[in-house]
Each structure stands twice: as structure tokens, then as C-alpha cells.
Amino acid sequence: MKLYSKLAALIPTLICVLSYAQTTPPSVIEDFKPSELNQPGQEYPMVNSQGYARFRIVAPAADSVKVSLGLGGRGGTRLTKGADGVWTGTTEGPMDEGFHYYHINIDGGTFNDPGTLNYYGSTRWESGIEIPAHDKDFYALRNVPHGNVQQVLFPSPTTNTSRRAFVYTPPGYEKDSKKKYPVLYLQHGWGEDETAWSNQGHANLIMDNLIADKKIEPFIIVMTYGMTNQMRFGGGLRSFKVDTFQTVLVDELIPFIDANFRTIGKQSHRAMAGLSMGGMETHSITLNKPDVFAYYALLSGGTYTPEEIKDKSKVKLVFLSCGSKERPDGIKNAATALTGAGYNAVSFVSDNTAHEFLTWRRSLYQLAPLLFKDK
Amino acid sequence: MKLYSKLAALIPTLICVLSYAQTTPPSVIEDFKPSELNQPGQEYPMVNSQGYARFRIVAPAADSVKVSLGLGGRGGTRLTKGADGVWTGTTEGPMDEGFHYYHINIDGGTFNDPGTLNYYGSTRWESGIEIPAHDKDFYALRNVPHGNVQQVLFPSPTTNTSRRAFVYTPPGYEKDSKKKYPVLYLQHGWGEDETAWSNQGHANLIMDNLIADKKIEPFIIVMTYGMTNQMRFGGGLRSFKVDTFQTVLVDELIPFIDANFRTIGKQSHRAMAGLSMGGMETHSITLNKPDVFAYYALLSGGTYTPEEIKDKSKVKLVFLSCGSKERPDGIKNAATALTGAGYNAVSFVSDNTAHEFLTWRRSLYQLAPLLFKDK
């Protein structure tokens, strides 16, 4: 009886330990390696095979160092100071595969992690970290012919400046001076800019690999800045008006690209796609300008209804995608409704990802083979 | 007498005020404007018309915030905390015109200023600030036709990877598919990379403006990473060996460029230039490979002696430059000796600049019209 009562007394402790073990996995595997987005020669941040991230920040006299990454909604990862004055910490759990933005809070101020490269998001250059995805080969730098990504500065009379775009030309573009190519106009999300699809998205490598594997016919991709209006800082999506950007894109950039690159400058060979806010832009502009684009793609960027589209005969493809941690039913139902109404509509849901770049890399990989089939 | 003694008592105070005024100029003009390299929407850092820089860092709980910029050798600028928890400070004096790297020390750790863009230098992405130069028009973004800067990934069997280069093609390159161009291979300095000449150097805008003003015939510029050896991290310049980079440049990159761009692929139409460590590389490689380059340029990167050059007939130009705050006599004397020995040698000294990017922007502006004259 004495033993039994001792055991009984232990029960609350055991329950407590067990439930603690469930929320804080004890099995963090110590196989951490530098994130592949680190600055040259930098060891930290590190990532392990489970998707945990570990951070290391030197700030010996600081009182508090936090990392904005961790588990969603739980306020990130608080680092602790070692005897050497160096702050370290590991995320509470594994993170989604793919790319994540983050920053460091040091004594109440927001800074970037000096260990890693910066990526433009949230209207600032943020730190970036990459959790290797199990399917990462499709956007890897492989030993295949590579296309080029070039910066062009195009005149924009309506905004009274030279604006920047990046243009992906496929391998072989320079050699065969006769061949002409279809064009995909590909937009970033809110707070990002025209660097996002190359830097965070690896759009060029995705294309190089698809072309090397003969899964697509080569095409050109054009990426420009889409926050050409009052919503750029503050204001949010509610005050979004597409007019200014639509004019830059349709009346200034497209004619410039058609004049300076070997494009097939026809509606039938022109696509528009965008992620998140870029999807909102794509939605509005494709509907406003049915004679400009024939292929429409919204990546975590909403849906179309059959009723919105004025002339069905002009739409060769509607592609709708998102991550499985977003609202995949909305995408699927919209594609079903469009298909039922006679459209060529495709939905794609990225496994185990949210509103983040692995969703969009995978979406581009799925979208590209569907473009420009109908020649 | 009573008044007089009162005045006498004030004399030490007056002297003190005057001497303080001499080391801390009282005449800082309050016309500070955001540095043109700030991140979108950021007010700070600011620069005034005299070249003072003012910084603002939010870190309410920090004990110490310092900026690495200030006056040379005096340890930068210590910021002071206001009642609002925001740290501010102004450089002790005006800085040289042009581009400067810097970083922030917060409680003993090194971070970037969240207000400004980052530039790769010192083997890390550093904060950048621009003190507007009185002659800044030559590298300004003007309303003229713009060339493109494109990223190429070229195969490098000797380093077992795809390596990156940026290629500037002049305006009109895409339109006239017959025309062929000479090529300048242009190298960055120690701790920098292949992004430096476009980002910090504005090489593309310098070219656009020179071409628009009909001061040069268009040519192509190729920029790649030059720290292809053991000196990349640590080791310093003493352990510098040019072999690895020379192989990548001469045996891998040049054939790739000649195969993929419309170049005049001959020694007579190929130049090499480099700044600082890139000048050391240029010096070694041009001397090692007299049949590859005909035009040699060292920007704050040393000199040639007539004795080093094996075959005078193969050298069409030797260009030597530096800032007036470096050692201009060395450049001038070397050019005089080369001219005396029958070389086409030119020296250029940039007024009131040191070992920094305004020296090199101006050097490229002076160099470009001298290249590829002898056709």
C-alpha cells in the first residue's frame, strides 16, 4: 500500500511530463548544418534534417535577443545568452519546408541576422532561411544549360521614371537569333519587389530544369515591381487600385519587351501570373484586358468565377493554386466551377505548405508545362 | 571694475567654448535628406549638403549603439539615446563624397542599419550610404536608352560548379543582331563580389550615359567573382595566388562569353580592369596572358613597370588611377615611366577621394573612352 500511494502521488507528475513531452519534442536530432542562404563563410543560422532552425547572435551586452521565426503565432524564438556572451536558440518545433523571412529583435529594435542573406519582403530587406524541401531538386542549381536573368530599365512616362524589370531568357536565347518566344508576366506579393521571383522563388532555375528535362518548351519570363500605387507603404490591400500598375504593365512594359526581346507579341502567347497580391493584380488586369493575356494564374491569390470572364473563347487556361495550409477547398471548388462552365481550369495544392515561397515555387513548376500549349 | 572682473571671470569659459567649436564645427547645416541608398520609405540615414551623415536606430533597451562611419581612424560615431528610446547621432565632420560601407555596433554585436540597402564588401553584406558628389550626373539614372545587366551562370569544370557573372550589354544590343562588340572584363576588390560594379559602382549607368553623350563606342562589360582561392576568408592578400581565378576567367568565362554573346573575340578587342585586389589580379593575368588582353587598367590597384611587360607591341593601353587621398605620385610616376618607354600610358587621380567607390566610378568614366580606340 505504501508503494501504491507513492505511485499514486507520482501520477500528476507523470501526466505533466508526458504532456510537456508532447508539446516540446525531446528528439531534436543534432545534425544541424548551415542554411544554404547564409552569407559566405557563415555557420549560423543552421537547420537540421527535421526542419528545426538554430540561431546564433553575437551581442554580449544585450539584454534580450529574439528571432521572429519559430512556430506560427507563438511569438518566435527567444535566444539565451551563454557564458561567452553569445546568444543562441532553437525553434520550438520543425518549420515548413522551404523559404522563410525573419528578423531579429535586439533590445527592442529590429535588425537582420548578420549570418544570412537578405530578401525583400514586408517592404524591407529581411533575413532569409531555407529549410531544405524533400522535393528541392526541381529548383536546384543543376549542371544543365542556364538561362540568363537580366535587369532592364524601361521608360515609364506615366510614372515619370525609368522602371526596373528582370527578364529571364531561356538557354539558347542568344544563339538562335531567329527564334521567338511566348512570355509569362510573373508578379510578386505584397511588400516584395521584382527581385522576389529570382531570389526567393528560383524561377530561373525552375525553368532551366524544366527545359533540360524537356518538360516544357522554352519561354521568357518578365518580372517587375507591382506596388505602383498608394498602397506601397501603409494603406494595406483595401486601398488597392490596380490602375497605375496596369498602365505601367500593359502600356509601357509589354511594348518595351516586345520591341527589345524576340517575343511572339500576341495575346495567344502571353500569360500573366502572380502570387498573393500579385494574384489580385493578375485577376483584375486579365479581366480588364482580355485581348492582352490568354493564360491566367493566381498563386495563393484568389479565384475566378465563370461569370467574371467576358469572353470564354479568349481564355486558354485558368490556373489556381495555394498551399494545403491555406484554403485549398476554395481553389478546388473554383476550378471545378470553371471546368463545369467549359474552361480549361486547373487547381494545384502544395502539400504541407502555407502562404510562403515553396508553395509558389511548386506552383510555377506545375504551371509552366501548361502554358502556351495551344499554338 | 566690477564689470571688468566679471568679464575676466568669463574668459576661460569663452576659450573653452571656442576650442569646442573648433573641434565640433558649429555650422552643421540642417538640410539633411534621406540617403539615396535607403530602403524604400526609410528616412534615415540622412545626409546634408556638407557631407555630414546622421543616423537613427531604434533599440530602446540597448546600452550602446555605435556607427562604424565617422571620421577616418577616430572610431566612428557614437549615438546617444533620446527620451523616446531612439538612438541618434551625426558624424563628427563631413565625409568624402560618394559611397561608403558601414555597420552598426549594438551592445557589442555587429548589425546592419535597417534603414539602408546592403552592399557586399568585407566578405559580408554591409550597410551603404551615399554622400552626393558634385559630379554625380555621370553615374545618374538619366532618361536615356539603358543597357541591360544580366546574370549568367557559366559552367566551371575546374571549380566543379556553375559560376555567376554579370554582363552589361549596351542599349541596342538586342535590336541589331549583326553587330559585334569589344569586351571589358571588370573586377571588384577584396571582400566584394560580382555585384559590386553594378550596385556600388553604377557601371551600367556610367556606360549608358557615356553612350548617350556619344563619348564612347558601345562595348560589353563582364563582371565575375574574383576571390576564387584560399584567400577568400582570412589569409589576406599575402597568400594570394591568381592561378585559380586566372583559369576560371581565361579558360572558362571568356570562351563562354564569346560563345554566347556577340563579341569581337580577339585580343585586340579585349580589356581587363580591376579595383584594388582586382587590380592585382589584372596585373598578374594581363602579364601572364599577353595574347588575351590588349588594354590593362589598375584602379587603386598598383602599377606596371616597363620591364614587367614582355611584348610592348601587344599592349594598346595602360591605365593607372587612384584617389588623391591615396598615393597619386606612385600612379603618376609609373605612367611617366611607361610613357617614356613608349607605352600608351594614362594616369588619372580622383579629386578628394580615397580607396573608395567614387574613385573607381570616376576611373571607369575616364577609362571607357580610351578603350578600343585602335581598331
Side-chain angles (χ1 to χ4, degrees):
Chain A
M1 286 295 287
K2 205 173 174 191
L3 182 66
Y4 180 80
S5 69
K6 266 195 178 166
L7 283 173
L10 276 171
I11 286 171
T13 312
L14 284 167
I15 289 168
C16 179
V17 166
L18 285 170
S19 65
Y20 182 74
Q22 279 173 341
T23 56
T24 305
S27 54
V28 176
I29 300 173
E30 287 298 328
D31 60 355
F32 285 88
K33 289 178 186 155
S35 160
E36 62 195 59
L37 306 184
N38 284 3
Q39 294 196 24
Q42 296 293 319
E43 288 286 300
Y44 285 86
M46 287 190 161
V47 178
N48 82 350
S49 59
Q50 299 162 292
Y52 286 79
R54 182 167 287 170
F55 303 92
R56 181 182 188 274
I57 298 290
V58 177
D63 298 316
S64 153
V65 179
K66 288 180 285 188
V67 176
S68 65
L69 266 188
L71 293 178
R74 297 196 201 171
T77 302
R78 190 173 284 276
L79 306 191
T80 54
K81 183 156 77 168
D84 55 357
V86 175
W87 297 77
T88 53
T90 304
T91 52
E92 197 185 351
M95 295 192 297
D96 286 354
E97 295 182 352
F99 175 86
H100 302 279
Y101 295 106
Y102 72 101
H103 53 259
I104 311 283
N105 186 299
I106 299 163
D107 285 349
T110 298
F111 301 93
N112 284 329
D113 185 339
T116 186
L117 295 173
N118 297 333
Y119 297 85
Y120 198 70
S122 313
T123 74
R124 65 182 295 272
W125 286 86
E126 287 258 291
S127 299
I129 192 170
E130 181 82 22
I131 310 295
H134 67 279
D135 56 346
K136 65 179 179 175
D137 281 356
F138 80 86
Y139 55 85
L141 175 63
R142 288 167 45 196
N143 186 19
V144 298
H146 295 291
N148 299 344
V149 177
Q150 61 192 293
Q151 171 188 293
V152 301
L153 297 169
F154 63 99
S156 170
T158 63
T159 60
N160 198 28
T161 183
S162 289
R163 305 190 67 86
R164 185 168 72 163
F166 289 100
V167 180
Y168 169 83
T169 53
Y173 179 87
E174 294 291 341
K175 281 190 180 163
D176 181 352
S177 66
K178 296 270 165 55
K179 189 173 159 113
K180 299 192 168 192
Y181 298 84
V183 185
L184 166 63
Y185 289 82
L186 184 60
Q187 289 303 124
H188 59 82
W190 185 88
E192 296 170 343
D193 70 7
E194 64 274 23
T195 62
W197 267 109
S198 303
N199 287 355
Q200 291 94 302
H202 301 317
N204 54 323
L205 300 179
I206 293 170
M207 290 292 289
D208 292 346
N209 293 336
L210 281 167
I211 293 166
D213 295 342
K214 300 198 189 320
K215 289 183 177 165
I216 62 168
E217 286 296 310
F219 57 85
I220 290 171
I221 300 182
V222 178
M223 301 156 277
T224 197
Y225 184 65
M227 292 175 71
T228 320
N229 56 26
Q230 78 290 353
M231 64 164 298
R232 182 164 177 169
F233 302 106
L237 290 171
R238 268 192 206 198
S239 59
F240 177 75
K241 285 201 182 66
V242 82
D243 312 49
T244 314
F245 175 60
Q246 178 175 293
T247 302
V248 169
L249 179 70
V250 174
D251 299 337
E252 297 176 341
L253 179 56
I254 291 177
F256 179 89
I257 295 295
D258 285 340
N260 288 283
F261 291 85
R262 295 197 315 278
T263 65
I264 304 170
K266 297 193 294 189
Q267 187 261 7
S268 58
H269 291 73
R270 205 180 283 125
M272 184 171 181
L275 73 89
S276 193
M277 184 200 76
M280 291 173 56
E281 293 175 332
T282 300
H283 180 269
S284 298
I285 294 173
T286 51
L287 294 178
N288 291 343
K289 298 283 180 182
D291 293 324
V292 176
F293 301 99
Y295 296 81
Y296 308 177
L298 312 183
L299 320 183
S300 306
T303 57
Y304 292 89
T305 62
E307 296 72 31
E308 297 178 300
I309 300 173
K310 284 168 203 153
D311 185 347
K312 193 194 297 186
S313 71
K314 289 183 175 162
V315 186
K316 293 183 188 295
L317 173 73
V318 177
F319 179 91
L320 305 172
S321 75
C322 68
S324 65
K325 298 184 179 183
E326 300 189 88
R327 292 181 193 166
D329 285 347
I331 301 297
K332 289 181 203 164
N333 294 340
T336 303
L338 286 161
T339 305
Y343 288 90
N344 175 25
V346 174
S347 68
F348 166 70
V349 177
S350 164
D351 263 359
N352 291 312
T353 59
H355 200 73
E356 53 203 15
F357 247 104
L358 186 54
T359 302
W360 306 319
R361 290 176 189 161
R362 287 175 177 164
S363 297
L364 176 60
Y365 185 74
Q366 296 296 325
L367 168 65
L370 306 176
L371 293 176
F372 314 122
K373 299 294 260 189
D374 186 10
K375 292 199 178 158
Chain B
M1 284 294 288
K2 206 173 176 192
L3 181 66
Y4 180 80
S5 69
K6 267 196 179 168
L7 283 173
L10 277 172
I11 287 172
T13 310
L14 284 167
I15 289 169
C16 181
V17 166
L18 286 170
S19 65
Y20 183 74
Q22 279 174 340
T23 56
T24 305
S27 53
V28 175
I29 300 173
E30 288 297 329
D31 59 355
F32 285 88
K33 289 179 187 155
S35 160
E36 62 195 58
L37 306 184
N38 285 3
Q39 293 195 26
Q42 296 294 318
E43 288 285 300
Y44 285 85
M46 288 190 159
V47 178
N48 82 351
S49 58
Q50 300 162 292
Y52 286 80
R54 181 167 287 171
F55 302 92
R56 180 182 189 276
I57 298 291
V58 177
D63 297 316
S64 153
V65 179
K66 287 180 288 190
V67 176
S68 64
L69 266 188
L71 293 178
R74 297 196 201 172
T77 303
R78 192 172 283 277
L79 307 191
T80 54
K81 184 156 76 168
D84 55 358
V86 175
W87 297 77
T88 53
T90 305
T91 53
E92 198 185 351
M95 294 191 299
D96 286 354
E97 295 182 351
F99 175 85
H100 303 278
Y101 296 107
Y102 72 102
H103 52 259
I104 311 283
N105 186 300
I106 299 162
D107 285 350
T110 299
F111 301 93
N112 284 328
D113 184 339
T116 185
L117 295 173
N118 297 333
Y119 296 85
Y120 197 70
S122 313
T123 74
R124 65 182 295 272
W125 287 86
E126 288 257 291
S127 299
I129 192 170
E130 182 82 23
I131 309 294
H134 67 279
D135 57 346
K136 66 180 179 175
D137 281 356
F138 79 85
Y139 55 85
L141 175 62
R142 287 166 44 196
N143 185 19
V144 298
H146 296 290
N148 299 344
V149 177
Q150 60 192 294
Q151 173 188 291
V152 302
L153 297 169
F154 63 99
S156 169
T158 64
T159 60
N160 198 28
T161 185
S162 290
R163 306 190 67 85
R164 185 168 73 164
F166 288 100
V167 179
Y168 169 83
T169 53
Y173 179 87
E174 294 291 340
K175 280 191 181 163
D176 181 351
S177 67
K178 297 271 166 55
K179 187 172 162 123
K180 298 192 169 195
Y181 298 83
V183 186
L184 165 64
Y185 289 82
L186 183 60
Q187 289 303 125
H188 59 82
W190 185 88
E192 297 170 342
D193 71 8
E194 64 274 24
T195 61
W197 266 110
S198 303
N199 287 355
Q200 292 94 303
H202 301 317
N204 55 323
L205 300 179
I206 292 170
M207 291 292 290
D208 292 346
N209 293 335
L210 281 166
I211 293 166
D213 296 342
K214 300 197 189 320
K215 289 182 177 166
I216 62 169
E217 285 296 311
F219 56 85
I220 289 170
I221 299 181
V222 177
M223 301 156 278
T224 197
Y225 184 64
M227 293 174 72
T228 319
N229 56 27
Q230 78 289 354
M231 64 164 298
R232 182 164 177 171
F233 302 105
L237 289 171
R238 269 192 204 197
S239 59
F240 177 74
K241 284 201 182 66
V242 82
D243 312 49
T244 314
F245 175 60
Q246 179 174 292
T247 302
V248 169
L249 179 70
V250 174
D251 299 337
E252 297 175 340
L253 180 56
I254 290 177
F256 178 89
I257 294 294
D258 285 340
N260 289 282
F261 290 85
R262 296 197 315 278
T263 65
I264 304 170
K266 299 194 294 188
Q267 188 260 7
S268 58
H269 291 73
R270 206 180 282 126
M272 184 170 182
L275 72 89
S276 193
M277 184 200 75
M280 291 174 57
E281 294 176 332
T282 299
H283 180 269
S284 298
I285 294 174
T286 51
L287 293 178
N288 291 344
K289 298 283 179 181
D291 293 324
V292 176
F293 301 99
Y295 297 81
Y296 307 177
L298 313 183
L299 321 183
S300 306
T303 58
Y304 292 89
T305 63
E307 296 72 32
E308 297 178 298
I309 301 173
K310 284 168 201 152
D311 185 347
K312 192 194 298 185
S313 70
K314 289 184 174 160
V315 186
K316 293 183 188 295
L317 173 73
V318 176
F319 179 92
L320 305 172
S321 74
C322 69
S324 65
K325 298 184 180 182
E326 299 189 269
R327 293 182 192 163
D329 285 348
I331 302 297
K332 288 182 203 164
N333 294 340
T336 303
L338 286 161
T339 305
Y343 288 89
N344 175 26
V346 174
S347 67
F348 166 70
V349 177
S350 163
D351 263 358
N352 292 311
T353 60
H355 199 72
E356 54 202 14
F357 248 104
L358 186 54
T359 301
W360 307 320
R361 291 176 188 161
R362 286 174 177 164
S363 296
L364 176 60
Y365 185 73
Q366 296 296 325
L367 168 65
L370 306 176
L371 293 176
F372 315 121
K373 297 296 259 190
D374 186 10
K375 292 197 180 163

